[in-house]
Amino acid sequence: MYLQPRSDMYGGEEVPEYDSRLEFISGFTGSAGIAIITIEKALLFVDGRYTLQAQLQLDSNWTVMELSSDSWINWIVENIKTGNKIGYDPWLMKAKDITSLSCKINQKNFFLIPDENNLVDSMWEKRPKIFQNHPKNWNKKYFTLSVENKIDQLKINMKMKGLDALVITQPNQLCWLLNIRGDDLKYTPLFLGFLVLEVNGGISIFSRNNKKLIKNTYKNYLYSALIPFLKKFKNKNIAINLNYCPSIIAERLKLSNNKIIEDFTFLQDISTIKNKIEKQFIRDCHLRDGAAFVKFLYWIDRQIVSKKITEYQASCKLKEFRAKDKNFISESFPSILATGENGAIIHYRPEEQNSKIILKDKLLLIDSGGQYYDGTTDITRTIAFTDQPQEVKDIYTYVLKAHIALARLKFKNKTRGNEIDAIVRSKLWEKGLDYNHGTGHGVGFCLGVHEFPPVISKNISPALKAGQLISNEPGYYLENAFGIRLENLVLVQDSKVSNSQYLEFETVSFCHFENKLINRKLLGMNEINWLNDYHYNVYSNLEVYLNKNEKNWLKQKTVNI
Amino acid sequence: MYLQPRSDMYGGEEVPEYDSRLEFISGFTGSAGIAIITIEKALLFVDGRYTLQAQLQLDSNWTVMELSSDSWINWIVENIKTGNKIGYDPWLMKAKDITSLSCKINQKNFFLIPDENNLVDSMWEKRPKIFQNHPKNWNKKYFTLSVENKIDQLKINMKMKGLDALVITQPNQLCWLLNIRGDDLKYTPLFLGFLVLEVNGGISIFSRNNKKLIKNTYKNYLYSALIPFLKKFKNKNIAINLNYCPSIIAERLKLSNNKIIEDFTFLQDISTIKNKIEKQFIRDCHLRDGAAFVKFLYWIDRQIVSKKITEYQASCKLKEFRAKDKNFISESFPSILATGENGAIIHYRPEEQNSKIILKDKLLLIDSGGQYYDGTTDITRTIAFTDQPQEVKDIYTYVLKAHIALARLKFKNKTRGNEIDAIVRSKLWEKGLDYNHGTGHGVGFCLGVHEFPPVISKNISPALKAGQLISNEPGYYLENAFGIRLENLVLVQDSKVSNSQYLEFETVSFCHFENKLINRKLLGMNEINWLNDYHYNVYSNLEVYLNKNEKNWLKQKTVNI
């Protein structure tokens, strides 16, 4: 059998077209999955978000299987036969997965065969063009900490842990550390590469580009030179994140008896904590992004009266409003514009062909964001053009209560993401409502719109830390009917509620909620006060960006309830 | 060095006087701790609850150290020298701890020396009398499931897991399985013993009593016969809980190449889930216990006007009220009666000598419970005899809000204990308040007043399950001033709030809250409704047990707010 995961060698959420091997062999376009291909069968393991989509996209050669933690490994354990050979590309399979797999089947007679000559590549004739892989030191003023300072901090912490080297396989950490960005991906301004930092030495970069593009002080190699390069490490302590690390790297390090340190999380932590100046950039960026979004909402509110607009057309218009900003780089992910029942498909994304005409009498869900030199945004609103049934208003109001619960929350230091998740959901549980996705994901600074840590979801997760940027996005979805999601980004801040260490959230996204959908009677005084304060701030912060008509419209949308 | 833990070989919270070795050598009476004694030093590791108490109880030979997970192991790792010998009693040290210790120091040159001749015992001259160790089949009507049925279920589940045998080292599980109880402990009706169940064989019991006291169908041995007995297992799959298992047992099983299965939790789960009939017993038992508690509160409310009563005298009177019940066995733990600033000492316990006179103008915290043939109770109230400062009333009200948050909560199946903990605490966090103990502990059925699972605390813990009985006890403590804790027991029940699987809590403890201390303005309508409904039920359920004066008094205490 042969294993083909969705991920590329960097393991990020977004994969360049050049590396979209799983899509090429199966047609599946979701953001997570793994194929197991045997002589008789072709299986695609995808998680709950993607089962429906995979069934639509795959032809009859394929069988869709449920992906949940180790389910694909368990399938292999149950179906492997003596003498079977399991082939995989060791640049694509992650070290953690290969270790789990080999542990679980170690009592059987089988062969795990890493092969750098990827089987898919060998038959991919019209493969998309390779990405540029040109790192860029763009907009220096937005890099508020020098590379030297970052590397010094890192080395101090490496020394405290007795580390000899750190192998960075996650491009977002490489870009953060070196104050560079790139355009290797469509929605994330990343330069894709690996980095090795030696505590008593320099920095070596491994990518598809070995020209000295970054800085003369770094050594630049082709990525294939990484494995020979690692041979010099013997009996060393080397930090690496096995969840993201290609198995070929970990295997090479183990061969020379190096000790792999998994719990060095300093870089991961510090690279996700925004400093004071970055926070200012983020606030300003979100005001401009909020204004573009409000302009779009005003535009569609007017257009819908007389014109037929498709979801796709509207998404282009939304991008147009954002693109007027001088700092705009790209959208931060493909916009979700979903009318009526499409709103219930959590990862719906309108295509140029066949996208639906926006229905005036149904809810419209809009989830979108931008990449700017001074920040990354992500915002969701659910709006109505006409009066809606009481049940829909009530559910919208419960989702809003959940959103406000997080926005108002003060919490003890060390509170975990899953604990905050439960606090937010409990507002919906009260009426037997829930949603099948997380409450919040971390967001980078001109980096990935999904960044870990932090995370707020049902899965056990680390405590939140001051300086992180995270989404607040409870929702509710009724299949074949409608979807509601309300999302702002919030900064984790120290709280003054007590002398002990407490944290709270500062909402940085600004856009009104839909007053047509709010049932005031379901809100407590604290919630009403929060909403009125927020709406006051939406108007007073955004009016400077708006024309007269837009201002008048927003004024009405933000009156006290 | 020598290791002396507080626990006996059964690892339960309560230890017979006969086995209170740590108290004998140090004077420390807390419920958790471990001593490390070297040629030069005597260290006692205790957790945050007990640091103050240990400092008061220990003399100058001792140093108090902080106990947090592996802190004592880390101390050894840092202080051990080549050639050092570490002695311990392998009946007292748990397998998990000895494994952790030996893993962490395996690169050094040291010797771990298990020695069944306990060093403390060898010098303990006036050792207390040994406990009876007579199992009792008392009150058969309260054992609602036959032993045969329980063993059948257990064997079916053992077979599904491919187990050959199960070694039970926790007496509460042994007593549950065999429908017996005992009087080996003061506050928990346990018979102390080990049990081995063979999937294709019988039941063997190991205790200090090898007479055929339980049943002819079981084999009864002295506990020292257990190790020779285990020799017959070779290459078998044996389930055991290494957190509670004496290391001598695990080591013996490993010697003969048996595979130790740690994740067989069926017995632990089922023994903590109360069935329909047990729930009825629990409800009834709590009504009688609640009535005894209300009678006590009425009594003290009258007495305090003119008499001087010490905390200890009041605790005796409270026991008297409970002991009138025909099903009463004992208190379920030493009562906490704490006036004024004593209330801030979470594990305060009034002694016959030197306990304080209850102050009329201060808060009084009462935490107590009973063991009955038909259930185990645990209830806490904080009361006031006079008007209190606004700040105290407000804090009481916030604690009440947290209590009501749990009592009213509906939550999705699979929600973990620590997630519910955060929901409850968030009511206090809003004002920067918190408490340094868990929100809830499991409670047995005529078994331990602390039973695991379930637990609701900041530590990551398993999901709650329908049928569990657990406490709801948020609090707030201001050192040198006062303590507030409000505790009821609640049953975890299936909820009808949705068609999906939701759970909720049914409060089974009945006693009014202190209306002198409630600030109505801080409560929302849902909270006020819950409180008024609860008070209505307190009165209507308890009046039948009360005399005329008590009834009139309770009527006033439970009027609608």
Side-chain angles (χ1 to χ4, degrees):
Chain A
M1 60 183 78
Y2 191 72
L3 308 179
Q4 177 58 56
R6 188 263 179 182
S7 67
D8 65 2
M9 58 184 161
Y10 304 107
E13 191 181 11
E14 199 182 344
V15 167
E17 284 187 10
Y18 179 80
D19 283 314
S20 298
R21 294 175 184 84
L22 187 61
E23 184 179 344
F24 167 67
I25 58 166
S26 73
F28 174 67
T29 58
S31 72
I34 181 168
I36 300 178
I37 296 142
T38 70
I39 300 294
E40 300 90 20
K41 283 180 192 161
L43 306 175
L44 178 69
F45 287 78
V46 298
D47 63 58
R49 296 175 295 171
Y50 289 122
T51 23
L52 201 70
Q53 178 178 331
Q55 272 151 3
L56 292 171
Q57 293 181 323
L58 268 50
D59 68 22
S60 62
N61 292 301
W62 288 87
T63 309
V64 178
M65 306 285 288
E66 205 195 314
L67 180 65
S68 59
S69 65
D70 284 350
S71 63
W72 63 274
I73 293 180
N74 295 335
W75 186 89
I76 293 176
V77 171
E78 280 160 31
N79 290 278
I80 196 169
K81 295 195 184 90
T82 302
N84 273 181
K85 295 172 185 168
I86 306 173
Y88 63 95
D89 182 339
W91 285 101
L92 300 185
M93 290 300 294
K94 303 301 168 233
K96 191 71 110 196
D97 288 332
I98 291 300
T99 309
S100 299
L101 179 59
S102 75
C103 284
K104 286 222 179 178
I105 51 177
N106 67 0
Q107 292 165 337
K108 308 218 178 188
N109 186 11
F110 76 95
F111 305 94
L112 263 183
I113 303 182
D115 184 354
E116 294 188 56
N117 297 306
N118 186 289
L119 285 194
V120 175
D121 293 3
S122 65
M123 61 181 179
W124 198 348
E125 285 172 8
K126 291 180 186 162
R127 194 166 175 179
K129 233 180 80 192
I130 195 160
F131 47 92
Q132 291 265 311
N133 226 199
H134 282 181
K136 295 176 171 49
N137 294 64
W138 57 24
N139 296 286
K140 277 184 201 262
K141 80 165 183 173
Y142 300 115
F143 296 123
T144 49
L145 212 60
S146 73
V147 178
E148 291 68 28
N149 181 316
K150 291 180 185 179
I151 288 173
D152 282 352
Q153 284 192 57
L154 198 48
K155 283 193 174 177
I156 289 169
N157 279 275
M158 286 170 68
K159 280 177 188 159
M160 279 172 11
K161 276 263 181 185
L163 293 178
D164 299 295
L166 169 66
V167 179
I168 301 176
T169 65
Q170 290 167 267
N172 61 322
Q173 294 180 354
L174 179 155
C175 290
W176 178 86
L177 185 64
L178 302 183
N179 285 344
I180 57 166
R181 295 295 185 269
D183 51 10
D184 296 340
L185 299 173
K186 207 167 162 192
Y187 300 102
T188 320
L190 287 178
F191 163 78
L192 298 177
F194 300 119
L195 186 152
V196 179
L197 172 63
E198 292 166 77
V199 77
N200 296 314
I203 285 182
S204 307
I205 297 167
F206 300 83
S207 69
R208 294 190 180 271
N209 183 340
N210 65 343
K211 303 198 191 85
K212 294 195 175 173
L213 287 168
I214 301 185
K215 230 182 180 183
N216 285 325
T217 49
Y218 311 142
K219 290 178 193 137
N220 289 271
Y221 302 91
L222 280 180
Y223 82 91
S224 52
L226 175 57
I227 303 306
F229 178 89
L230 295 175
K231 283 188 187 163
K232 70 175 183 178
F233 295 117
K234 285 175 187 131
N235 304 309
K236 300 291 185 194
N237 291 331
I238 300 181
I240 202 159
N241 186 334
L242 295 179
N243 290 309
Y244 292 90
C245 170
S247 68
I248 193 170
I249 295 178
E251 293 306 322
R252 173 63 253 173
L253 291 171
K254 283 185 211 160
L255 262 185
S256 308
N257 208 24
N258 295 291
K259 193 172 169 191
I260 290 180
I261 311 297
E262 285 193 75
D263 65 346
F264 180 72
T265 58
F266 177 75
L267 173 61
Q268 179 174 281
D269 289 342
I270 194 182
S271 67
T272 62
I273 287 173
K274 281 72 181 173
N275 65 39
K276 212 173 156 181
I277 313 174
E278 282 172 331
K279 285 183 196 170
Q280 267 318 118
F281 286 135
I282 288 169
R283 289 184 188 103
D284 191 63
C285 166
H286 276 80
L287 290 183
R288 297 179 340 256
D289 188 75
F293 195 52
V294 165
K295 281 168 184 282
F296 166 78
L297 292 178
Y298 171 72
W299 173 83
I300 199 158
D301 196 53
R302 293 293 107 144
Q303 296 294 308
I304 206 80
V305 182
S306 55
K307 288 193 189 139
K308 287 192 171 157
I309 303 166
T310 68
E311 296 164 327
Y312 181 78
Q313 287 165 343
S315 76
C316 295
K317 190 73 188 177
L318 175 53
K319 184 177 173 183
E320 234 179 272
F321 278 114
R322 282 205 166 93
K324 285 179 186 157
D325 191 89
K326 65 184 191 324
N327 278 357
F328 180 80
I329 300 165
S330 70
E331 292 178 289
S332 57
F333 59 97
S335 289
I336 297 171
L337 263 113
T339 181
E341 61 186 56
N342 284 347
I345 305 167
I346 294 173
H347 285 80
Y348 179 78
R349 151 190 187 177
E351 306 285 344
E352 186 163 359
Q353 271 82 39
N354 303 326
S355 92
K356 258 197 171 177
I357 288 168
I358 294 170
L359 302 167
K360 209 163 74 175
D361 58 339
K362 298 285 179 185
L363 300 187
L364 177 64
L365 188 155
I366 310 135
D367 184 354
S368 68
Q371 293 287 0
Y372 301 85
Y373 296 132
D374 53 351
T376 302
T377 69
D378 184 0
I379 187 166
T380 309
R381 287 295 183 272
T382 305
I383 60 172
F385 304 104
T386 58
D387 193 34
Q388 296 291 317
Q390 193 58 44
E391 190 210 351
V392 173
K393 291 185 199 171
D394 288 356
I395 292 175
Y396 181 98
T397 308
Y398 277 102
V399 175
L400 181 60
K401 283 167 84 80
H403 181 96
I404 295 174
L406 189 143
R408 288 188 64 239
L409 185 66
K410 295 171 194 339
F411 58 103
K412 205 78 183 273
N413 217 3
K414 297 194 180 165
T415 305
R416 297 177 192 90
N418 53 312
E419 292 158 358
I420 292 175
D421 185 81
I423 294 171
V424 174
R425 277 179 214 272
S426 68
K427 299 288 171 186
L428 287 162
W429 288 343
E430 187 161 352
K431 294 292 158 186
L433 308 175
D434 197 12
Y435 46 99
N436 194 17
H437 59 70
T439 298
H441 55 82
V443 176
F445 179 79
C446 189
L447 282 171
V449 74
H450 289 169
E451 177 172 274
F452 175 84
V455 63
I456 300 177
S457 79
K458 290 184 179 180
N459 299 322
I460 294 172
S461 57
L464 272 67
K465 291 189 172 142
Q468 292 173 330
L469 179 64
I470 192 162
S471 68
N472 169 11
E473 49 177 314
Y476 178 76
Y477 308 90
L478 187 61
E479 214 179 329
N480 300 319
F482 63 87
I484 294 169
R485 182 161 66 251
L486 301 176
E487 177 186 28
N488 282 338
L489 297 194
V490 296
L491 276 167
V492 184
Q493 299 280 30
D494 289 317
S495 170
K496 292 201 180 71
V497 71
S498 160
N499 291 330
S500 339
Q501 291 191 294
Y502 277 73
L503 298 170
E504 59 187 42
F505 297 108
E506 173 194 342
T507 297
V508 294
S509 307
F510 286 98
C511 173
H512 58 280
F513 292 95
E514 180 57 81
N515 47 18
K516 279 199 195 73
L517 293 172
I518 298 172
N519 178 357
R520 191 186 193 276
K521 287 181 202 149
L522 299 179
L523 298 175
M525 271 321 292
N526 287 329
E527 291 164 332
I528 291 171
N529 291 340
W530 183 89
L531 186 66
N532 287 337
D533 285 353
Y534 177 72
H535 274 166
Y536 173 83
N537 288 326
V538 168
Y539 184 81
S540 58
N541 280 321
L542 300 190
E543 63 167 334
V544 56
Y545 300 101
L546 306 177
N547 67 31
K548 202 179 153 197
N549 288 338
E550 290 161 347
K551 267 204 279 196
N552 288 338
W553 182 79
L554 184 61
K555 191 90 198 170
Q556 286 168 29
K557 286 294 197 184
T558 56
V559 289
N560 274 0
I561 65 156
Chain B
M1 59 183 78
Y2 191 72
L3 307 179
Q4 178 58 56
R6 187 263 179 183
S7 67
D8 64 2
M9 58 183 159
Y10 304 106
E13 191 181 11
E14 198 182 343
V15 167
E17 285 187 11
Y18 178 81
D19 283 314
S20 299
R21 295 175 182 86
L22 187 63
E23 183 178 344
F24 167 68
I25 58 166
S26 72
F28 173 67
T29 59
S31 71
I34 181 167
I36 299 178
I37 296 141
T38 70
I39 300 295
E40 300 91 20
K41 283 180 192 162
L43 306 175
L44 179 69
F45 287 78
V46 297
D47 62 59
R49 297 174 295 172
Y50 289 121
T51 24
L52 201 72
Q53 177 178 331
Q55 270 150 4
L56 292 171
Q57 293 181 324
L58 268 49
D59 69 23
S60 61
N61 292 301
W62 286 88
T63 309
V64 177
M65 305 287 286
E66 204 196 314
L67 180 65
S68 58
S69 64
D70 283 351
S71 63
W72 63 274
I73 293 181
N74 294 335
W75 186 90
I76 293 176
V77 172
E78 281 160 30
N79 290 278
I80 195 168
K81 295 194 184 93
T82 301
N84 272 182
K85 294 172 185 167
I86 306 173
Y88 64 94
D89 182 339
W91 285 101
L92 300 185
M93 291 300 294
K94 303 301 166 233
K96 190 72 109 196
D97 289 332
I98 292 300
T99 308
S100 298
L101 178 59
S102 75
C103 283
K104 286 220 178 179
I105 51 176
N106 67 0
Q107 292 165 336
K108 308 214 179 190
N109 188 8
F110 76 95
F111 305 94
L112 264 182
I113 303 182
D115 184 354
E116 293 186 57
N117 297 306
N118 187 288
L119 284 195
V120 176
D121 294 0
S122 64
M123 62 181 179
W124 198 349
E125 284 173 8
K126 291 181 186 161
R127 192 166 176 180
K129 232 180 79 190
I130 195 161
F131 47 92
Q132 292 264 312
N133 226 198
H134 283 181
K136 295 175 172 49
N137 296 64
W138 56 25
N139 295 284
K140 277 184 201 262
K141 79 164 183 172
Y142 300 116
F143 296 123
T144 48
L145 212 59
S146 73
V147 179
E148 292 67 29
N149 181 317
K150 291 179 185 180
I151 288 173
D152 282 351
Q153 283 191 56
L154 198 48
K155 284 193 173 177
I156 288 169
N157 279 274
M158 287 169 69
K159 281 178 187 159
M160 278 172 14
K161 277 263 183 187
L163 293 177
D164 299 298
L166 169 67
V167 179
I168 301 176
T169 67
Q170 290 166 269
N172 60 323
Q173 293 179 355
L174 179 153
C175 290
W176 179 85
L177 185 63
L178 302 183
N179 285 344
I180 57 166
R181 296 295 187 268
D183 53 10
D184 295 341
L185 299 172
K186 208 167 161 192
Y187 299 102
T188 319
L190 287 179
F191 162 79
L192 298 176
F194 301 119
L195 186 151
V196 179
L197 172 63
E198 292 166 78
V199 77
N200 296 314
I203 285 182
S204 308
I205 297 167
F206 301 84
S207 69
R208 295 192 180 272
N209 184 339
N210 65 344
K211 301 194 193 92
K212 294 193 176 173
L213 287 169
I214 300 186
K215 229 182 182 184
N216 285 326
T217 50
Y218 313 142
K219 291 177 192 139
N220 290 272
Y221 301 93
L222 280 180
Y223 82 92
S224 52
L226 175 58
I227 303 306
F229 179 88
L230 295 175
K231 281 186 188 162
K232 70 175 181 178
F233 295 116
K234 286 176 185 131
N235 304 307
K236 300 291 185 195
N237 291 332
I238 299 181
I240 201 157
N241 185 334
L242 295 178
N243 289 310
Y244 292 91
C245 170
S247 68
I248 193 171
I249 295 177
E251 294 305 323
R252 175 62 252 172
L253 290 172
K254 284 185 210 158
L255 263 185
S256 308
N257 206 26
N258 296 292
K259 192 171 170 192
I260 291 181
I261 310 298
E262 285 194 75
D263 64 348
F264 180 73
T265 59
F266 177 74
L267 174 61
Q268 178 173 279
D269 290 340
I270 194 180
S271 67
T272 62
I273 288 174
K274 281 72 182 171
N275 65 39
K276 213 172 155 184
I277 312 173
E278 283 173 332
K279 285 183 196 169
Q280 267 317 115
F281 285 136
I282 288 169
R283 290 185 188 103
D284 191 63
C285 167
H286 276 78
L287 289 183
R288 295 173 350 248
D289 188 75
F293 195 52
V294 165
K295 282 169 184 283
F296 166 78
L297 292 178
Y298 170 74
W299 172 85
I300 200 158
D301 196 55
R302 295 292 108 140
Q303 297 294 309
I304 206 80
V305 181
S306 54
K307 291 195 187 136
K308 288 192 172 162
I309 304 166
T310 68
E311 297 164 326
Y312 181 78
Q313 288 164 344
S315 77
C316 296
K317 190 73 189 177
L318 175 52
K319 184 176 173 184
E320 235 179 272
F321 279 113
R322 281 205 166 92
K324 285 180 185 155
D325 191 89
K326 64 182 192 325
N327 278 357
F328 180 80
I329 300 165
S330 70
E331 292 177 290
S332 58
F333 58 97
S335 288
I336 297 170
L337 262 113
T339 179
E341 61 187 57
N342 284 348
I345 305 167
I346 293 174
H347 285 80
Y348 179 77
R349 150 188 188 176
E351 306 283 346
E352 186 161 359
Q353 272 82 39
N354 303 326
S355 93
K356 258 195 168 177
I357 287 168
I358 293 170
L359 302 167
K360 208 162 73 174
D361 58 341
K362 299 285 180 188
L363 299 187
L364 177 65
L365 186 155
I366 310 133
D367 184 354
S368 68
Q371 294 285 4
Y372 300 86
Y373 297 131
D374 53 351
T376 302
T377 69
D378 184 1
I379 186 166
T380 309
R381 286 294 184 272
T382 306
I383 61 173
F385 304 104
T386 58
D387 193 34
Q388 296 291 316
Q390 193 58 43
E391 189 211 352
V392 173
K393 290 185 201 172
D394 287 356
I395 292 175
Y396 181 97
T397 309
Y398 277 103
V399 176
L400 182 59
K401 283 166 84 80
H403 181 96
I404 296 174
L406 189 141
R408 288 188 65 238
L409 185 65
K410 293 168 194 345
F411 57 104
K412 205 77 184 270
N413 216 4
K414 297 194 180 166
T415 305
R416 297 177 191 90
N418 53 312
E419 292 158 356
I420 292 173
D421 185 81
I423 293 171
V424 174
R425 277 179 213 274
S426 68
K427 298 288 168 185
L428 288 161
W429 287 344
E430 187 161 352
K431 294 292 156 188
L433 309 174
D434 198 12
Y435 46 99
N436 194 15
H437 58 71
T439 298
H441 54 82
V443 175
F445 178 80
C446 188
L447 282 170
V449 74
H450 289 170
E451 177 172 275
F452 174 84
V455 62
I456 299 176
S457 80
K458 290 184 180 181
N459 299 322
I460 294 173
S461 58
L464 272 67
K465 292 190 173 140
Q468 292 173 330
L469 179 66
I470 193 162
S471 70
N472 168 11
E473 50 176 315
Y476 178 76
Y477 309 90
L478 188 62
E479 214 180 328
N480 300 319
F482 62 86
I484 294 168
R485 182 161 65 252
L486 302 176
E487 177 187 29
N488 282 338
L489 298 194
V490 294
L491 276 168
V492 185
Q493 299 279 32
D494 289 315
S495 170
K496 292 202 179 73
V497 70
S498 159
N499 291 329
S500 341
Q501 291 191 295
Y502 277 73
L503 298 171
E504 59 187 42
F505 297 108
E506 174 194 339
T507 297
V508 294
S509 307
F510 286 97
C511 174
H512 58 281
F513 292 95
E514 180 57 83
N515 48 17
K516 279 198 194 70
L517 292 171
I518 298 172
N519 179 358
R520 191 184 193 277
K521 287 181 200 148
L522 299 178
L523 298 175
M525 271 319 293
N526 287 329
E527 291 164 334
I528 291 171
N529 290 340
W530 182 90
L531 186 66
N532 288 337
D533 284 352
Y534 178 71
H535 274 167
Y536 172 83
N537 288 326
V538 168
Y539 184 79
S540 57
N541 281 322
L542 300 190
E543 65 167 332
V544 56
Y545 300 101
L546 306 176
N547 67 33
K548 201 178 154 200
N549 288 339
E550 290 161 345
K551 267 203 279 196
N552 287 337
W553 181 80
L554 184 61
K555 191 91 198 170
Q556 286 167 29
K557 286 294 196 185
T558 55
V559 288
N560 274 1
I561 65 157

